[in-house]
Amino acid sequence: MRSVFLALAHILVISVAAPAQHYYYTPNSIHIPVLKEKGDAAAGIGMGWGNDYFAPEGQVVYSPVQHGAVMVNGFLAGNPGVRDDTEIGASFRFVELGVGAYQALERGSASVFAGVGQGNLYNYYGNDNFSSFRVRRYFVQPGLMYEDKYFRCGLALRLTRISYPKGESSFDINENELAAIRKIEEDAPFFMPELGLSGGIEITPCVLSVNITSVFPDAPGLNFSRFNMNLTLSFDFGKMKKMKKGEN
């Protein structure tokens, strides 16, 4: 566990020291839940680190029927000064909704979710120059989670369709940025797989997990920020309910 926190501290130092950068997409953490039966629910809050950004995240999942679930995830990357045009960089606000099916396993669960997310990505380049895009993402996400009494880990593959239904941009900006924007206008939507890995320690009903999400292909010329590492603390309401039943 000590090595994990050292790695996170190293990423934090690099993020603080790195110069402001612009990007036109970055992934939120892939939410891979553990669901066993109707009524199971969990909620988590976390902090993500990517290429020159910090990102508070929220995740909620609930199973209203046996083998069926809904989830909502929120993502806020970048500094407030970017949207106030006082700080050069990028800011991304994104919310997604997914519905899916799950199957309880002896240790863990398997799930498949599908859904849609939408948000706004804003870049400020200085000298009143900016770009603003509405980002929409459809996804299908199969996932598998293993857990025992003190540990859980899992992986998921999020298959995404990323589009930009609306956008505007200044033209007096770096040619590299303009080239990426033109490529987005000409080639979108993009079909891209994203890989998610998760591992954590469980002290029922809480879980502290490290989550890594990466856009799998290189996405050349698009200026995507392809990597996100996230530390999340979640609360499992289903296990809390079972603990109370056990006490009774």
Side-chain angles (χ1 to χ4, degrees), residues 4-5 17 27 42 63 82 116 127 129 138 156 181 195 199 201 204 211 213:
V4 171
F5 285 110
S63 174
V82 173
V116 61
N127 299 322
N129 293 315
Y138 294 95
I181 292 171
L195 179 65
I201 56 174
T204 305
N211 310 288
T213 304

Side-chain angles (χ1 to χ4, degrees), residues 14-102:
I14 292 174
S15 300
V16 171
Q21 298 185 26
H22 305 285
Y23 54 84
Y24 303 99
Y25 176 76
T26 189
N28 63 320
S29 296
I30 295 181
H31 187 184
I32 319 173
V34 176
L35 299 166
K36 296 284 190 176
E37 60 186 33
K38 176 183 176 180
D40 280 358
I45 56 173
M47 175 63 75
W49 292 266
N51 185 21
D52 190 46
Y53 70 77
F54 300 107
E57 297 195 52
Q59 300 177 337
V60 178
V61 65
Y62 173 61
S63 174
V65 298
Q66 188 67 25
H67 302 299
V70 295
M71 69 177 181
V72 179
N73 305 313
F75 182 68
L76 179 60
N79 297 319
V82 173
R83 292 185 178 269
D84 296 335
D85 292 349
T86 58
E87 185 172 347
I88 293 173
S91 174
F92 188 28
R93 298 171 176 173
F94 188 79
V95 177
E96 66 182 350
L97 171 67
V99 296
Y102 65 88

Side-chain angles (χ1 to χ4, degrees), residues 2 24 26 76 92 95 107 143 157 160 175 183 204 212 224-225 227 231 242:
R2 182 173 177 269
Y24 303 99
T26 189
L76 179 60
F92 188 28
V95 177
R107 293 189 176 182
L157 184 65
T160 67
E175 182 58 35
K183 188 173 179 62
T204 305
I212 299 173
F224 282 5
S225 179
F227 180 82
L231 183 66
K242 292 170 187 175

Side-chain angles (χ1 to χ4, degrees), residues 161-197:
R161 178 187 185 272
I162 303 166
S163 62
Y164 298 78
K166 184 179 180 181
E168 58 181 331
S169 174
S170 304
F171 290 96
D172 189 18
I173 59 178
N174 183 282
E175 182 58 35
N176 179 56
E177 308 298 340
L178 275 178
I181 292 171
R182 293 191 186 105
K183 188 173 179 62
I184 289 170
E185 292 176 343
E186 294 170 0
D187 297 345
F190 305 105
F191 296 87
M192 293 191 173
E194 299 174 359
L195 179 65
L197 302 173

